[in-house]
Amino acid sequence: MKYVIVIPDGCADEPQAELFGRTPLEAARTPNFDRLAQTGVLGWANHTPSHLPAGSDVANLSLLGYDPQRFFSGRAPIEAAAQNLKLGPHDWVVRCNLVTIIDQTMQDFTAGHISNAESAILLRDLQTELQKHIEFLGDGWEFIPGVSYRNLLLKRCPTATAPPFSLDTRTQAPHDWIGKSVAEQFPRGPGSSLLSEIMRISGELFADHPVNQQRRAQVQLPATHVWLWGSGQSPQLPHFAERFNCRGAMITAVDLLRGLAKLIGWDCLDAPGATGYLDTNYRSKGETACRALSDYDLVCVHVEAPDEASHAGSLADKITAIEKIDAEIIGPIVEVLRNRPEWRILVSPDHPTLLRTKTHSHGNVPFVIAGTGFSPGGAPEFGESVAESSDCCFPHGHELMEFFINEKNG
């Protein structure tokens, strides 16, 4: 049996007045999505328990079959795994965005998609500056440059004595506050004073930093601060192959999904031109997945573009991203699968990302499963409203994976 999972990140949404009450997914031209719904099983699942953040970390953990109420230990440690960063048993790691805050308003959670080189320079100089504040902050702090605005801050802790943070440390994801005041959104709870102080220091250092002087001269947004969030310790996840007897691979341009893949024992495959943004090479992702089916039992393709479109509040870009996923990823993959004797495909967003709020949301998402062992359920199309009326539902979303891999429905 060959398995494929396609995750159009954040593509689920609410009805739009501009679309005459349809969602972007329902309004987009998606003949391949719809054909899967007509020949397979359409349903809904909830991957974001109400008491946990409605983030891609929680949601994708659930979508891949891991109960977030049991296994979630913070976002940053998952991304650390993507960078092969080895965490000690008492170490903590924090997600570190470079952002643009003007007059206490979050203007941009990417600092204008700052370059890797610029980001590395700013973090290097901030690392040096922190040494001047060691009496308050303590030692063991280390910035880990990532891709563009997505970076990490590591706090090495040799023992469990007096940990700097806890699971009660409350932080806010910067992409949830675009265009809004962040005056009351700074860290709260254990360790919050340390995080807030580092954020304050960054604001002073970056104000007239040469990197930002050059960016302003080129009419680019400056990186005014680091924004610290998503702290946690290394999770312990049982390998996917031990649970489902499938050798898997992940295709993504996002460290969060790379990290999850590595933690569950999957390989990570590079698709040329994949960016994790609206300009990603959709066709390359589809072609990479088709080739990978010769070597792996299960191939997962994650596409960030619909989520990014929602964060930007762009209805047109969200529809375009969904249509490209349908045409350049789903279409070619299904064509290859149909030449296999046994196959299954699961298509599901991880969480809703609403154009109205530009943020992730708790709530149900539609899914479709088609292929060997699944008979047509009579759905006319792949969309939220049809899925909500389905009897095939998973309020505990992590149970969907067992259904996909092992259920015989036809």
Side-chain angles (χ1 to χ4, degrees):
M1 182 81 79
K2 293 290 183 178
Y3 300 92
V4 173
I5 302 169
V6 178
I7 306 173
D9 197 303
C11 86
D13 211 315
E14 59 192 1
Q16 308 291 308
E18 304 96 309
L19 302 177
F20 304 99
R22 306 201 83 195
T23 69
L25 178 58
E26 292 167 342
R29 185 179 181 277
T30 54
N32 295 298
F33 279 149
D34 295 342
R35 195 171 299 116
L36 291 177
Q38 292 157 9
T39 59
V41 174
L42 183 69
W44 61 265
N46 190 325
H47 297 294
T48 51
S50 60
H51 64 286
L52 292 176
S56 293
D57 41 17
V58 170
N60 281 287
L61 191 65
S62 172
L63 181 50
L64 296 180
Y66 294 81
D67 183 356
Q69 298 184 84
R70 177 182 175 190
F71 292 108
F72 179 65
S73 64
R75 177 175 181 131
I78 300 174
E79 298 193 5
Q83 299 191 41
N84 297 314
L85 183 62
K86 301 299 183 184
L87 299 180
H90 310 299
D91 293 343
W92 286 79
V93 64
V94 187
R95 173 69 185 269
C96 172
N97 273 51
L98 286 168
V99 301
T100 304
I101 299 173
I102 298 176
D103 295 331
Q104 294 193 320
T105 296
M106 182 69 69
Q107 297 291 337
D108 195 312
F109 70 93
T110 74
H113 287 276
I114 191 167
S115 71
N116 292 1
E118 292 170 316
S119 177
I121 292 170
L122 289 170
L123 295 179
R124 178 201 65 195
D125 292 350
L126 182 55
Q127 178 82 54
T128 300
E129 185 67 20
L130 292 190
Q131 296 304 310
K132 302 175 183 178
H133 302 265
I134 195 169
E135 184 174 343
F136 174 70
L137 296 174
D139 59 7
W141 298 95
E142 179 184 359
F143 287 100
I144 311 296
V147 177
S148 182
Y149 63 93
R150 304 179 179 107
N151 308 281
L152 297 172
L153 176 60
L154 175 63
K155 180 66 169 76
R156 293 290 188 189
C157 301
T159 69
T161 304
F165 311 114
S166 80
L167 294 178
D168 293 325
T169 304
R170 300 185 302 281
T171 56
Q172 300 291 335
H175 49 256
D176 287 341
W177 294 94
I178 298 299
K180 302 174 184 177
S181 171
V182 296
E184 301 300 324
Q185 307 310 323
F186 286 82
R188 297 287 186 270
S192 60
S193 59
L194 300 177
L195 298 181
S196 294
E197 180 65 4
I198 293 171
M199 292 161 73
R200 184 195 66 78
I201 293 168
S202 73
E204 293 182 351
L205 178 67
F206 293 171
D208 295 312
H209 194 282
V211 166
N212 282 329
Q213 291 179 8
Q214 184 174 10
R215 288 183 66 80
R216 290 187 181 100
Q218 296 173 346
V219 196
Q220 296 176 314
L221 288 174
T224 64
H225 297 78
V226 295
W227 188 270
L228 303 176
W229 61 290
S231 63
Q233 294 180 290
S234 183
Q236 302 299 316
L237 301 179
H239 278 192
F240 193 90
E242 296 171 0
R243 300 181 58 207
F244 299 109
N245 196 32
C246 288
R247 181 169 176 256
M250 173 69 74
I251 299 168
T252 182
V254 176
D255 269 356
L256 175 66
L257 274 295
R258 288 195 189 102
L260 275 176
K262 291 187 176 184
L263 288 168
I264 65 175
W266 287 1
D267 291 340
C268 294
L269 308 180
D270 291 327
T275 66
Y277 196 60
L278 294 165
D279 61 353
T280 196
N281 191 328
Y282 300 85
R283 187 172 299 278
S284 175
K285 285 193 170 185
E287 292 172 349
T288 302
C290 290
R291 290 192 298 269
L293 283 167
S294 297
D295 300 319
Y296 295 91
D297 304 313
L298 185 153
V299 177
C300 181
V301 184
H302 169 263
V303 188
E304 182 76 0
D307 191 64
E308 293 288 344
S310 278
H311 288 313
S314 176
L315 173 60
D317 283 342
K318 187 163 190 175
I319 290 177
T320 297
I322 292 169
E323 291 181 342
K324 286 187 174 182
I325 293 169
D326 180 86
E328 300 181 25
I329 296 177
I330 299 295
I333 287 174
V334 172
E335 184 176 350
V336 169
L337 285 174
R338 284 179 174 151
N339 291 319
R340 298 277 180 175
E342 292 187 315
W343 58 273
R344 289 180 179 181
I345 184 169
L346 164 65
V347 181
S348 176
D350 46 354
H351 52 67
T353 306
L354 306 185
L355 285 159
R356 174 174 54 83
T357 62
K358 301 181 183 180
T359 64
H360 297 167
S361 173
H362 293 91
N364 302 332
V365 295
F367 71 82
V368 61
I369 298 174
T372 305
F374 286 90
S375 299
E381 65 177 8
F382 181 48
E384 292 90 341
S385 60
V386 179
E388 283 289 348
S389 64
S390 173
D391 293 331
C392 187
C393 53
F394 293 88
H396 304 291
H398 65 277
E399 297 173 351
L400 173 61
M401 186 57 62
E402 176 71 31
F403 180 76
F404 172 56
I405 297 291
N406 293 322
E407 182 71 14
K408 288 183 172 59
N409 196 61

